[in-house]
């Protein structure tokens, strides 16, 4: 069964450093998402991406965050200058499309620790 | 704004008993309600979903009910087993915007053997 894959699985970074989290969505999917889950808390929406542009973002997704689809397969989340409160599990997700697929499929997550 | 409330935050049941988790959503445009099970350190896994044109759906020991008027939906697990122990999240998908999911705060279910 196709899966959303994410790298790295775990990254430790110094506060103020830039971090790039990578995702490979399921190949025929058109909608891509990043969600965040702080330890012990709920899964929070960050951003959605469709047709090579951001289609929606939450208030969490400020100027420190950016997303990119640099080629036909990868989807990246960049945090420009990490803060302690950015420590969380970051999930990438993808979905087929509007008419045929309601379900979003999550990757295994990238656990980011900012020290 | 869009919000999903989920109760209880923790639930302990004896093996074989039933467990019920309840969610309430605020966005009346929501039309799809998935439930996810998340084991420690793992990704959320879809276990069941329901669309707004259906009142109830069942899959073996798991069932979901939806009351659109009250904007409530619930997860029912019967004959619980220790492997059902996990955190369960409800979510509501809005029909507006980019169809993002808004998640509930999660319920930690412990099934006691």
């Amino acid at each position: 069964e196709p899966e959303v894959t994410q790298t790295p699985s775990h990254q430790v970074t110094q506060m103020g450093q830039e971090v790039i989290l990578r995702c490979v969505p399921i190949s025929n999917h058109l909608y891509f998402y990043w969600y965040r889950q702080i330890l012990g808390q709920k899964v929070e929406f960050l951003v959605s991406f469709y047709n090579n542009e951001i289609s929606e973002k939450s208030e969490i997704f400020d100027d420190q965050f950016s997303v990119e689809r640099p080629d036909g397969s990868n989807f990246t989340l960049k945090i420009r200058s990490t803060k302690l409160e950015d420590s969380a599990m970051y999930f990438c997700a993808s979905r087929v499309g509007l008419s045929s697929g309601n379900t979003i499929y999550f990757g295994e997550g990238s656990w980011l620790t900012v020290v | 704004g869009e919000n999903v409330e989920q109760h209880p935050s923790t639930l302990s049941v004896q093996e074989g008993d039933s467990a019920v988790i309840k969610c309430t959503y605020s966005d009346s445009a929501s039309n799809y309600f998935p439930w996810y099970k998340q084991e420690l350190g793992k990704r959320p896994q879809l276990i069941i979903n329901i669309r707004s044109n259906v009142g109830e759906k069942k899959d073996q020991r798991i069932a979901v009910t939806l009351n659109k008027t009250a904007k409530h939906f619930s997860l029912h697990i019967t004959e619980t087993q220790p492997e059902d122990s996990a955190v369960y999240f409800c979510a509501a998908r809005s029909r507006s915007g980019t169809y993002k999911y808004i998640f509930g705060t999660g319920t930690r279910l412990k099934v006691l053997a």
Side-chain angles (χ1 to χ4, degrees):
Chain A
E1 185 178 326
E3 287 189 339
V4 177
T5 58
Q6 289 184 242
T7 54
S9 57
H10 189 192
Q11 182 161 353
V12 181
T13 190
Q14 295 277 341
M15 190 169 55
Q17 295 295 305
E18 176 182 283
V19 160
I20 297 176
L21 305 179
R22 293 183 167 81
C23 169
V24 179
I26 296 173
S27 63
N28 64 334
H29 285 192
L30 301 177
Y31 290 81
F32 314 121
Y33 305 85
W34 282 100
Y35 283 81
R36 177 182 83 174
Q37 187 177 30
I38 295 171
L39 185 63
Q41 297 187 22
K42 69 176 177 179
V43 179
E44 299 175 289
F45 169 76
L46 291 179
V47 66
S48 58
F49 192 87
Y50 171 70
N51 201 25
N52 286 319
E53 60 183 19
I54 290 174
S55 41
E56 190 172 0
K57 59 185 180 180
S58 72
E59 59 272 13
I60 301 169
F61 195 89
D62 61 22
D63 292 344
Q64 293 298 317
F65 291 89
S66 62
V67 290
E68 197 176 40
R69 189 156 161 81
D71 54 42
S73 60
N74 289 288
F75 178 50
T76 62
L77 174 70
K78 182 192 291 187
I79 308 174
R80 245 180 290 282
S81 177
T82 49
K83 303 187 285 281
L84 294 176
E85 53 265 39
D86 293 328
S87 296
M89 179 75 93
Y90 289 81
F91 290 106
C92 175
S94 69
R95 183 164 63 83
V96 170
L98 279 179
S99 60
S100 56
N102 283 307
T103 301
I104 66 171
Y105 295 87
F106 286 90
E108 290 280 5
S110 293
W111 182 250
L112 176 65
T113 303
V114 182
V115 296
Chain B
E2 299 157 317
N3 189 44
V4 175
E5 293 190 359
Q6 183 171 346
H7 300 281
S9 56
T10 60
L11 179 60
S12 293
V13 298
Q14 291 291 329
E15 183 178 359
D17 287 352
S18 296
V20 180
I21 302 170
K22 298 182 179 181
C23 288
T24 304
Y25 60 99
S26 62
D27 183 1
S28 55
S30 296
N31 64 348
Y32 174 73
F33 306 92
W35 284 89
Y36 285 85
K37 176 183 180 182
Q38 186 180 33
E39 296 175 351
L40 191 62
K42 300 282 185 68
R43 78 178 96 189
Q45 295 271 24
L46 178 72
I47 55 170
I48 196 167
N49 54 41
I50 191 167
R51 296 173 194 265
S52 57
N53 59 348
V54 175
E56 185 173 356
K57 182 176 177 181
K58 192 172 181 182
D59 182 5
Q60 300 183 339
R61 296 187 297 109
I62 295 173
V64 58
T65 58
L66 171 65
N67 181 331
K68 274 184 60 179
T69 304
K71 292 191 277 189
H72 288 169
F73 58 114
S74 300
L75 177 72
H76 304 252
I77 306 174
T78 58
E79 300 170 29
T80 52
Q81 300 165 2
E83 51 266 36
D84 294 330
S85 296
V87 178
Y88 291 80
F89 289 98
C90 62
R93 191 199 81 161
S94 178
R95 216 167 17 189
S96 60
T98 57
Y99 299 75
K100 67 179 183 288
Y101 290 7
I102 302 298
F103 283 85
T105 47
T107 297
R108 182 171 300 279
L109 174 64
K110 294 182 187 175
V111 180
L112 308 170

